[in-house]
């Protein structure tokens, strides 16, 4: 019993660390969690002393209702310390901490049962706490928790736990696995239970893993669906605004022609000067031969004008005629929004610029957007991580660009060199 406290804690912590290592962390959370674990050890030693006083430590046998209540209470309080450690270390709710603990417990129990079965099959020649077997199971529990469960289910630093599903899973793990393991020990069919427990835990974990992945996909789909709806609405607004811009552009050209024949030179010069200032913004009108591309480029160029960003554009819009209008608007809109955002972080407005090039090179359509940036860019795979705090609703810009590019059998390449950010999209001529 003296070894119970440390060994059991270690067995619980290995899968717990594997699950929590990819979750967002609280400030000074690790220190708080370590302190919590230290307090749990003080509690465990106090329980050992209490057990010795009633004779349990000498016999290693727990008998009677009082004895079973003693050991169950010991387990529960130890679990609460682990839950508290998870909560203090990671950016999760208390409910999510309980869920993570339940998953950790099921993983721990799988390897506990494996060690027990090894001892049984070897007729006691290989003990459950034999160092090599014990360490292999500890490492195995961490690897299973981290590589198989956590890495496939954590999204943006958290588990997307659906309330009803997670609650039922937690209850199922604790009741089916834990209570039946106690019952099996009482009635002497521990080894038979181990087989059942391993299968049950694997089933529960597989089910939870699949549901978490579905929750991630559902959450991502909802955000993308909303982005698509917003983009479609913005496109319609931008198209109407473009029509107004074009109308004003032509009206003002006629007005300037009329003013040229005015006899009052001073009045004419004043009106012309005022109109030239007003019409300067209309220099942002871009004509590429593709009205959908014209819409998004003109919209973004007007935004650049207001933010003191020089935007140059050499584009043959006809090369992107194979794209759906909303896909084209979303693709270029997200790419230019990212470039504008990077420029806004540069205090010196003289250093703000964006270069857009769309051209055909030997049957390959090449789209390149280049802009300066300051600071560091962290990559998540082949796309940059968002720097915004709301990583759930943000961070889909680059992902959306990649998805649309791949939809048309294209390739997205991102390069950063000398504080210049290059986004290169490569398509075959017809996007097939």
């Amino acid at each position: 019993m003296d070894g119970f406290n440390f060994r059991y804690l270690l067995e619980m912590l290995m899968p717990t660390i594997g699950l929590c290592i990819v979750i967002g962390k609280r400030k000074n959370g690790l220190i708080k969690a370590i302190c919590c674990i230290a307090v749990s050890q003080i509690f465990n030693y106090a329980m050992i002393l209490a057990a010795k006083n009633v004779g349990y430590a000498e016999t290693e046998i727990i008998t009677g209702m009082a004895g079973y209540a003693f050991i169950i209470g010991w387990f529960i309080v130890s679990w609460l310390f682990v839950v508290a450690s998870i909560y203090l270390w990671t950016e999760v709710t208390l409910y999510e901490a309980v869920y993570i603990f339940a998953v950790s417990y099921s993983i721990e129990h799988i390897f506990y049962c494996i060690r027990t079965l090894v001892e049984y099959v070897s007729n006691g020649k290989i003990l459950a706490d034999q160092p090599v077997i014990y360490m292999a199971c500890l490492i195995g529990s961490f690897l299973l928790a981290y590589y198989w469960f956590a890495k496939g289910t954590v999204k943006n630093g958290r588990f997307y736990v659906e309330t009803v599903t997670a609650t039922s899973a937690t209850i199922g793990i604790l009741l089916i696995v834990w209570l039946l393991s106690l019952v099996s020990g009482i009635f002497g069919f521990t080894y038979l239970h181990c087989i059942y427990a391993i299968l049950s835990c694997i089933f529960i974990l597989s089910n939870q893993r699949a549901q978490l992945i579905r929750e991630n996909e559902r959450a991502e789909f909802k955000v993308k669906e909303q982005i698509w709806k917003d983009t479609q609405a913005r496109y319609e607004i931008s198209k109407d605004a473009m029509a107004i811009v074009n109308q004003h552009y032509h009206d003002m050209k006629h007005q300037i022609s009329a003013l040229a024949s005015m006899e009052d030179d001073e009045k004419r010069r004043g009106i012309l000067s005022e109109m030239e200032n007003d019409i300067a913004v209309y220099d942002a009108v871009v004509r590429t031969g593709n009205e959908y591309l014209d819409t998004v480029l003109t919209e973004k160029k007007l935004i650049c004008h207001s933010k003191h960003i020089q935007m140059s554009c050499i584009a043959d819009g006809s090369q992107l005629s194979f794209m759906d209008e909303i896909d084209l608007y979303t693709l270029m809109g997200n790419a230019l929004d990212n470039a504008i955002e990077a420029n806004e972080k540069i205090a010196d407005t003289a250093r703000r610029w964006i270069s857009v090039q769309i051209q055909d090179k030997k049957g390959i359509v090449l789209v390149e957007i280049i802009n300066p940036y300051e600071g560091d860019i962290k990559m998540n795979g082949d796309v940059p991580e968002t720097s915004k705090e709301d990583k759930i609703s943000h961070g889909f810009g680059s992902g959306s660009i990649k998805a649309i590019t791949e939809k048309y059998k294209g390739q997205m390449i991102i390069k950063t060199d000398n504080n210049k950010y290059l986004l290169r999209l490569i398509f075959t001529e017809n996007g097939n």
Side-chain angles (χ1 to χ4, degrees):
M1 185 172 288
D2 286 340
F4 163 80
N5 61 326
F6 179 74
R7 287 203 309 269
Y8 185 69
L9 177 66
L10 189 60
E11 292 161 21
M12 282 300 311
L13 286 180
M14 290 303 287
T16 299
I17 293 171
L19 293 173
C20 293
I21 199 169
V22 293
I23 302 176
K25 306 300 188 298
R26 298 184 190 274
K27 186 177 181 180
N28 300 322
L30 182 59
I31 296 174
K32 295 176 183 177
I34 291 173
C35 291
C36 186
I37 294 299
V39 173
S40 75
Q41 288 302 284
I42 295 173
F43 166 79
N44 281 328
Y45 282 117
M47 294 298 287
I48 289 172
L49 292 176
K52 287 181 177 179
N53 289 334
V54 294
Y56 291 145
E58 286 74 15
T59 63
E60 294 289 341
I61 298 174
I62 303 297
T63 59
M65 292 301 295
Y68 291 125
F70 178 86
I71 198 67
I72 288 173
W74 189 343
F75 268 105
I76 291 175
V77 175
S78 297
W79 291 349
L80 290 176
F81 276 112
V82 177
V83 172
S85 300
I86 295 170
Y87 178 76
L88 293 171
W89 183 25
T90 60
E91 294 179 335
V92 297
T93 64
L94 186 58
Y95 174 82
E96 291 169 337
V98 173
Y99 176 79
I100 293 170
F101 162 77
V103 174
S104 300
Y105 178 84
S106 67
I107 294 173
E108 180 276 330
H109 201 69
I110 288 174
F111 287 92
Y112 162 78
C113 290
I114 290 173
R115 292 188 291 112
T116 303
L117 286 174
V118 168
E119 181 176 306
Y120 176 72
V121 171
S122 67
N123 292 319
K125 294 179 181 178
I126 303 177
L127 299 178
D129 59 355
Q130 200 272 342
V132 174
I133 299 297
Y134 188 77
M135 289 303 298
C137 286
L138 285 180
I139 295 171
S141 66
F142 171 82
L143 295 177
L144 183 67
Y146 177 67
Y147 284 103
W148 180 69
F149 198 91
K151 287 200 75 174
T153 57
V154 170
K155 189 75 173 179
N156 295 322
R158 59 166 293 191
F159 289 100
Y160 289 101
V161 182
E162 193 276 321
T163 304
V164 176
T165 301
T167 302
S168 62
T170 303
I171 294 173
I173 291 171
L174 293 177
L175 292 182
I176 296 174
V177 178
W178 180 58
L179 290 178
L180 285 182
S181 68
L182 292 179
V183 172
S184 67
I186 295 171
F187 291 98
F189 52 89
T190 301
Y191 303 110
L192 181 63
H193 166 72
C194 284
I195 298 173
Y196 167 79
I198 290 173
L199 295 175
S200 296
C201 288
I202 290 175
F203 172 79
I204 291 172
L205 288 170
S206 298
N207 180 267
Q208 282 302 293
R209 184 175 182 275
Q211 290 201 33
L212 286 170
I213 291 173
R214 284 196 295 270
E215 284 298 316
N216 290 341
E217 292 173 348
R218 189 178 294 114
E220 185 171 336
F221 175 79
K222 286 182 179 178
V223 173
K224 286 184 176 180
E225 184 180 40
Q226 187 59 50
I227 289 174
W228 187 87
K229 289 180 179 178
D230 292 345
T231 299
Q232 191 174 34
R234 285 172 56 205
Y235 169 70
E236 294 299 329
I237 293 171
S238 297
K239 189 165 63 173
D240 292 341
M242 270 290 294
I244 296 171
V245 167
N246 288 332
Q247 185 61 51
H248 280 306
Y249 182 79
H250 289 294
D251 289 348
M252 293 182 77
K253 283 178 64 178
H254 292 305
Q255 290 172 359
I256 290 173
S257 296
L259 283 169
S261 61
M262 288 183 64
E263 294 183 357
D264 190 334
D265 290 340
E266 185 176 348
K267 184 177 181 181
R268 184 180 61 204
R269 282 193 297 269
I271 295 175
L272 282 172
S273 176
E274 183 180 340
M275 291 184 69
E276 283 175 352
N277 290 331
D278 291 340
I279 206 172
V281 71
Y282 296 122
D283 288 337
V285 174
V286 179
R287 301 190 184 281
T288 67
N290 184 318
E291 63 174 306
Y292 310 120
L293 183 60
D294 293 348
T295 297
V296 66
L297 289 177
T298 299
E299 176 194 355
K300 301 308 178 185
K301 198 168 183 181
L302 287 168
I303 293 172
C304 286
H305 181 82
S306 66
K307 296 180 182 293
H308 307 287
I309 301 171
Q310 295 296 320
M311 177 175 163
S312 63
C313 183
I314 301 174
D316 180 359
S318 64
Q319 300 298 327
L320 297 177
S321 59
F322 58 85
M323 276 194 183
D324 173 80
E325 58 187 77
I326 296 300
D327 284 342
L328 178 56
Y329 185 90
T330 305
L331 177 76
M332 296 302 297
N334 282 331
L336 289 169
D337 282 343
N338 290 342
I340 291 170
E341 184 180 332
N343 271 281
E344 286 183 290
K345 296 177 181 178
I346 300 174
D348 184 1
T349 56
R351 294 174 49 235
R352 295 180 179 182
W353 57 270
I354 298 173
S355 171
V356 180
Q357 292 191 35
I358 303 172
Q359 54 189 313
D360 176 272
K361 287 195 174 182
K362 298 181 180 180
I364 299 297
V365 177
L366 187 65
V367 179
E368 288 188 343
I369 298 176
I370 309 173
N371 60 269
Y373 70 91
E374 289 184 348
D376 297 325
I377 296 178
K378 295 181 180 180
M379 301 296 289
N380 182 8
D382 54 358
V383 297
E385 286 186 357
T386 178
S387 59
K388 299 174 183 176
E389 293 183 1
D390 181 6
K391 296 184 185 296
I392 298 175
S393 58
H394 292 293
F396 286 106
S398 297
S400 176
I401 295 169
K402 182 181 179 183
I404 294 172
T405 302
E406 292 177 348
K407 176 181 176 180
Y408 293 94
K409 305 297 187 292
Q411 180 184 6
M412 182 180 82
I413 299 172
I414 292 175
K415 292 184 178 180
T416 55
D417 185 37
N418 295 324
N419 289 105
K420 291 181 182 179
Y421 184 95
L422 166 65
L423 171 66
R424 178 179 292 147
L425 309 177
I426 303 171
F427 302 93
T428 57
E429 194 168 6
N430 57 2
N432 295 320

